[in-house]
Amino acid sequence: MLRSIREDMEDYLPNYYADSNIVANLTEQEARELTEYHARARDVLNQFFIDTATWGLARWEEICGIPVNESKPIDQRRSYIKSKIRGAGTVTLAVIKNVVDSFQNGQVDIQENFGNYEVVITFIGKRGIPPNLNDVKSAVREIVPAHLNVLFKFTYLRWEELDAANLTWDQLEALGMDWDELEVWKP
């Protein structure tokens, strides 16, 4: 970008400045300043959008009433902010699904169990427990009416799937997976 700004600036100058070292130096410095200005302006603009915000996430969290925790990974913070925004309004299964889908590993299946006054949320997108489960629980608990119980279920590798993969224990061991990795493996 620096080169194109400098070239554009030089194109606007009269030809008799082409051999001037002073003008060339001045143009170079101004091009650097303009490039830095553009980068800073772009960075500020990025803070207005959750998916591109970095240092502006703290402001988004304040707006949404979320405690600011800068030690959390940025993608988890973004997910929590999105869930707060998506969770506004009347609570339906679609709203709950939309809120949970905003989280990492958030693809879910949601079932209502009217007889037991509960909502069952099963994570189906990725196996295992999502890394920010506490944030998911907090976001869901905030929007689901208090008289309903919320159950979370997780998917793991089933024996039938492992049998269908037709692998011996030696072959599995050669893959270099420990038990925790095997639980969430998709053959």
Side-chain angles (χ1 to χ4, degrees):
M1 179 138 180
L2 173 66
R3 181 149 175 83
S4 65
I5 289 175
R6 190 188 74 224
E7 287 173 351
D8 286 346
M9 291 171 68
E10 288 171 350
D11 287 346
Y12 284 107
L13 290 173
N15 289 336
Y16 54 83
Y17 285 125
D19 295 331
S20 172
N21 288 335
I22 294 171
V23 172
N25 188 24
L26 226 116
T27 306
E28 180 73 25
Q29 297 307 315
E30 287 177 356
R32 284 179 203 253
E33 289 294 322
L34 285 171
T35 301
E36 188 176 325
Y37 169 77
H38 284 294
R40 287 183 181 182
R42 213 176 2 255
D43 186 40
V44 169
L45 183 61
N46 284 342
Q47 306 316 306
F48 286 93
F49 303 95
I50 298 168
D51 288 329
T52 55
T54 51
W55 53 265
L57 286 175
R59 183 68 180 128
W60 279 101
E61 289 167 330
E62 289 171 13
I63 290 168
C64 294
I66 301 169
V68 177
N69 183 353
E70 294 190 9
S71 65
K72 272 188 180 178
I74 286 178
D75 58 338
Q76 289 181 15
R77 293 173 67 196
R78 286 180 179 152
S79 296
Y80 199 15
I81 293 165
K82 286 180 188 176
S83 75
K84 290 291 256 184
I85 291 171
R86 291 179 181 181
T90 305
V91 179
T92 62
L93 289 181
V95 169
I96 296 170
K97 182 172 179 21
N98 199 11
V99 166
V100 179
D101 280 346
S102 70
F103 285 94
Q104 187 179 358
N105 296 7
Q107 188 179 2
V108 294
D109 178 48
I110 299 181
Q111 300 293 319
E112 283 179 301
N113 188 346
F114 293 109
N116 293 334
Y117 298 97
E118 64 188 12
V119 175
V120 180
I121 300 172
T122 307
F123 289 84
I124 58 174
K126 246 182 158 183
R127 294 185 174 176
I129 298 173
N132 53 345
L133 181 62
N134 289 334
D135 291 339
V136 174
K137 286 180 177 180
S138 176
V140 169
R141 195 67 264 168
E142 236 175 78
I143 63 171
V144 172
H147 71 283
L148 294 177
N149 188 28
V150 180
L151 295 176
F152 292 93
K153 292 186 176 181
F154 311 98
T155 54
Y156 293 96
L157 176 67
R158 295 187 323 257
W159 284 112
E160 306 90 58
E161 292 175 298
L162 189 57
D163 289 341
N166 247 356
L167 296 172
T168 66
W169 286 109
D170 290 335
Q171 291 170 322
L172 284 171
E173 197 173 285
L175 293 174
M177 286 190 279
D178 62 16
W179 187 255
D180 292 334
E181 293 169 325
L182 183 63
E183 283 183 322
V184 296
W185 180 59
K186 285 190 179 184

